Amino acid sequence: MSYVTTADGTQIFYKDWGAGRPVVLSHGWPLNSDSWEAQQLFLADHGYRAIAHDRRGHGKSTQSWHGNEMDTYADDLAALLDHLDLRDVTLVGFSTGGGEITRYIGRHGTARVAQAVLVSAVPPLMVRRDDNPGGVPIEVFDGIRAGSAQDRSQLYQDLADGPFFGNNRPGANISQGIRDAFWLQSMAAGHRNAYESIAAFSATDFHDDLATFDVPTLVIHGDDDQVVPFEVGGKASAALVKGAELIVYPGAPHGITDTHKERLGTDLLTFLSSFGATA
């Protein structure tokens, strides 16, 4: 298996598939790189080098006691890009991973980056504050924290069976296999790591990071996302990134990497193919 060791000794696991211009995929909470397997295989089959890593505390990476916040997540991503010496990278972040790549650009710039894609992503800011009145009430995240502390296995099952894939909507037909995979990946995360990451994805303010974006950016978001509401996430981020392209999936839930994987693959491929025209 392939690992990169960060400055504090944490080992970050990654999968490196295919050959061509690199695409780096950053996963959502509390999942791991396996959640990208459909897109990673699709992109590798279409001439790209598709790389997906497990965030610290998730999947096969070290369950570090410290560093379960966005600055360190971004620095870990930088360690991966530096280790592989990647150039002209397209960064793709889903949900919490969207925060990770956004903070990466904010802290490390775009010297290695050609394009960015935010999918159902948490930026610019999820939690409701006086200066973010449309955000999600803190009580929602406190409830997730309470569920994680009391019975996180059941919490993950409830998320998979309900809002994450929109399985609580009339006519939804999300397979048991997809829901089981969500639970399995989630349970592979460290208890403390997953708990502390709730604050990282909900309370980190990415407005200043988004203002530094200077590469072509695609924002994809479902307008029935019950985890990161469209108005709080994709719509707000697209308005903050100069020249960003926004694609809205009508009626789509949060977990579109599974529920809309065919369309997502096609949209990613179209955006990736525009690199030559925009470089």
Side-chain angles (χ1 to χ4, degrees):
M1 292 192 287
S2 299
Y3 289 89
V4 56
T5 302
T6 68
D8 69 356
T10 297
Q11 288 194 302
I12 302 296
F13 169 76
Y14 65 93
K15 297 186 288 189
D16 191 346
W17 295 357
R21 192 166 67 81
V23 181
V24 174
L25 304 157
S26 179
H27 64 80
W29 174 93
L31 305 173
N32 57 54
S33 58
D34 289 344
S35 64
W36 280 117
E37 63 182 15
Q39 290 75 35
Q40 192 174 7
L41 181 61
F42 178 83
L43 295 173
D45 280 344
H46 285 79
Y48 290 91
R49 182 182 178 187
I51 300 160
H53 65 292
D54 292 350
R55 185 169 303 118
R56 67 170 54 210
H58 297 70
K60 299 180 181 68
S61 292
T62 303
Q63 293 187 10
S64 58
W65 192 250
H66 302 289
N68 304 298
E69 33 71 30
M70 283 293 169
D71 284 356
T72 304
Y73 294 163
D75 292 349
D76 291 347
L77 178 59
L80 175 66
L81 269 60
D82 291 346
H83 172 71
L84 298 176
D85 193 21
L86 301 178
R87 308 282 176 178
D88 292 333
V89 180
T90 296
L91 294 177
V92 184
F94 168 75
S95 194
T96 298
E100 181 177 302
I101 71 163
T102 298
R103 181 52 53 90
Y104 170 86
I105 291 175
R107 284 173 69 82
H108 299 277
T110 54
R112 294 186 180 276
V113 181
Q115 299 171 306
V117 185
L118 299 173
V119 181
S120 306
V122 298
L125 174 63
M126 283 194 71
V127 71
R128 180 179 296 171
R129 302 191 314 203
D130 290 343
D131 60 351
N132 192 42
V136 179
I138 185 66
E139 289 79 10
V140 172
F141 305 112
D142 287 342
I144 297 173
R145 273 185 276 265
S148 180
Q150 182 176 11
D151 185 349
R152 72 184 185 112
S153 177
Q154 188 60 52
L155 169 69
Y156 299 150
Q157 289 191 344
D158 292 343
L159 288 172
D161 290 346
F164 194 90
F165 298 112
N167 205 40
N168 54 348
R169 296 304 201 204
N173 183 27
I174 312 303
S175 77
Q176 188 65 51
I178 288 175
R179 288 177 278 153
D180 288 350
F182 180 96
W183 176 86
L184 182 65
Q185 292 171 31
S186 301
M187 290 304 294
H191 190 11
R192 174 184 169 90
N193 306 98
Y195 183 89
E196 292 200 336
S197 191
I198 297 167
F201 75 69
S202 65
T204 302
D205 188 335
F206 298 98
H207 283 85
D208 290 344
D209 305 291
L210 290 169
T212 70
F213 275 42
D214 58 359
V215 294
T217 300
L218 172 64
V219 179
I220 298 175
H221 216 106
D223 67 5
D224 193 29
D225 189 331
Q226 301 170 72
V227 177
V228 182
F230 171 64
E231 298 282 342
V232 172
K235 183 177 180 180
S237 286
L240 291 168
V241 177
K242 185 178 180 181
E245 177 185 359
L246 173 63
I247 300 178
V248 181
Y249 288 10
H254 188 64
I256 59 178
T257 53
D258 284 298
T259 62
H260 291 67
K261 59 185 178 183
E262 291 83 6
R263 179 175 179 186
L264 179 59
T266 300
D267 287 337
L268 288 175
L269 206 59
T270 300
F271 182 66
L272 286 163
S273 69
S274 71
F275 168 66
T278 56

